[in-house]
């Protein structure tokens, strides 16, 4: 596996692959790998001849009060894990090389997709995501890129940007990888104190509860959301950021649940750790 630090070197690697007629699958990440990341990398390996993984804790997608400096990092561990997943190129640039001093371009996806859910409590987050993913697509020129359904709104935003800007990258969604008890794997789970681990389960358990209620015939998003809010708040140290039922592609609010509806949740645990999860409920 090659470790590539500079965007120019990554562009050269990608050109070499194209010249040799080899297709590329890209997996963009912020590192601190877990089984969710590895399963994206293995999926990428089935989709193209070469797998490139980017490891970049992108400063522009963090708000001023967010966890940029605290975000977990362990390059050596990540390097070994990516290699074991069969990755050919690990692109780990410095922020100063991705955003030189004169940098002044931003890709913003419309408020239809970025104004609600995580976009409401994280202003500017999706502009940061769209900009860095657009840059990564230009640097790596992948045929296909794999993203986790765990970040459901991000997936919708990237699909829209890729179509709107004719980026020519096939976007593949990969299902959320979970612990045996249902907790969605996340690099941010490392922030949880042992006593908060149970409270973190409130998200996946809420999705299970919603499925039980819809199986019993409930279709009202409002009544479901009210029940889920009470359920989540019955766990210690939880504060709901949002509980939303939205259309899976447009992200528009759904008043009545149907097969296209996704339940998306964000919950703060202990006032600090913000976790997200989502799932279909019918
Ligand atoms: P991150 O490093 O958190 O930015 O995530 C990098 C990629 O991995 C994104 O496409 C995420 O959606 C995906 N991802 C994160 N957690 C999971 C998970 N538990 N299951 C599947 N994919 C995930």
């Amino acid at each position: 596996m090659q470790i590539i630090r500079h965007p120019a070197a990554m562009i050269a690697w990608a050109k070499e692959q194209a010249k040799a007629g080899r297709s590329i699958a890209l997996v963009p990440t912020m590192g601190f790998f877990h089984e969710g990341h590895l399963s994206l990398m293995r999926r990428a390996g089935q989709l193209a001849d070469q797998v490139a993984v980017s490891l970049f804790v992108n400063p522009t997608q963090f708000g001023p009060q967010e966890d940029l400096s605290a975000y977990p990092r362990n390059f050596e561990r990540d390097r070994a894990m990516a290699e074991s997943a069969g990755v050919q190129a690990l692109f780990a640039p410095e922020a100063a090389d991705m955003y030189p001093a004169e940098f002044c371009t931003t890709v913003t996806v419309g408020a239809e997709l970025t104004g609600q859910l995580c976009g409401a409590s994280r202003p500017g987050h999706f502009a940061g995501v769209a900009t860095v993913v657009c840059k990564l697509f230009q640097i790596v020129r992948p045929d296909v890129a794999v993203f986790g359904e765990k970040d459901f709104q991000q997936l919708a935003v990237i699909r829209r940007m890729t179509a709107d800007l004719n980026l020519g990258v096939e976007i593949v969604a990969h299902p959320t990888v979970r612990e045996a008890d249902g907790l969605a794997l996340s690099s941010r789970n490392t922030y949880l104190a042992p006593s908060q681990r149970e409270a973190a389960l409130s998200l996946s358990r809420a999705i299970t509860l919603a499925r039980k209620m819809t199986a019993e015939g409930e279709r009202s998003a409002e009544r479901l959301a009210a029940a889920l809010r009470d359920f989540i708040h019955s766990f210690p140290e939880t504060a709901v950021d949002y509980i939303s039922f939205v259309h899976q592609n447009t992200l528009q609010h759904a008043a009545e649940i149907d097969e296209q509806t996704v339940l998306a949740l964000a919950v703060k645990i202990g006032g600090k750790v913000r976790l997200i999860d989502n799932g279909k409920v019918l």
Side-chain angles (χ1 to χ4, degrees), residues 40-123:
L40 263 60
M41 295 175 202
R42 291 191 288 262
R43 176 81 177 273
Q46 297 163 357
L47 297 168
D49 302 321
Q50 299 281 302
V51 177
V53 170
S54 59
L55 192 176
F56 182 55
V57 183
N58 174 37
T60 67
Q61 70 188 69
F62 288 78
Q65 309 301 324
E66 293 183 357
D67 57 342
L68 173 63
S69 60
Y71 198 82
R73 293 166 169 87
N74 187 335
F75 184 76
E76 261 319 300
R77 177 174 166 276
D78 285 351
R79 189 199 56 70
M81 288 171 83
E83 187 146 36
S84 76
V87 171
Q88 277 78 30
L90 183 62
F91 176 48
E94 295 295 333
D97 293 324
M98 289 293 273
Y99 301 112
E102 64 278 16
F103 188 91
C104 62
T105 302
T106 302
V107 179
T108 49
V109 175
E112 299 91 323
L113 291 180
T114 59
Q116 67 285 60
L117 307 176
C118 290
S121 47
R122 304 185 71 187

Side-chain angles (χ1 to χ4, degrees), residues 28-31 34 36-37 40 71 147-148 150-151 154 175-177 185:
T29 80
M30 299 204 301
H34 51 62
H37 295 110
L40 263 60
Y71 198 82
F147 291 88
K150 157 90 179 358
D151 296 278
Q154 168 172 285
T176 301
V177 178
L185 296 184

Side-chain angles (χ1 to χ4, degrees), residues 27-40 54 56 61 71 146-152 154-155 158 172 174-179 183-189 276:
V27 182
T29 80
M30 299 204 301
F32 211 70
F33 296 149
H34 51 62
E35 189 52 39
H37 295 110
L38 298 185
S39 106
L40 263 60
S54 59
F56 182 55
Q61 70 188 69
Y71 198 82
V146 187
F147 291 88
E149 283 172 0
K150 157 90 179 358
D151 296 278
F152 156 73
Q154 168 172 285
L155 184 59
I158 285 163
V172 169
H174 194 75
T176 301
V177 178
R178 298 176 179 279
E179 304 271 12
L183 178 66
L185 296 184
S186 166
S187 307
R188 289 191 167 99
N189 290 350
I276 58 172

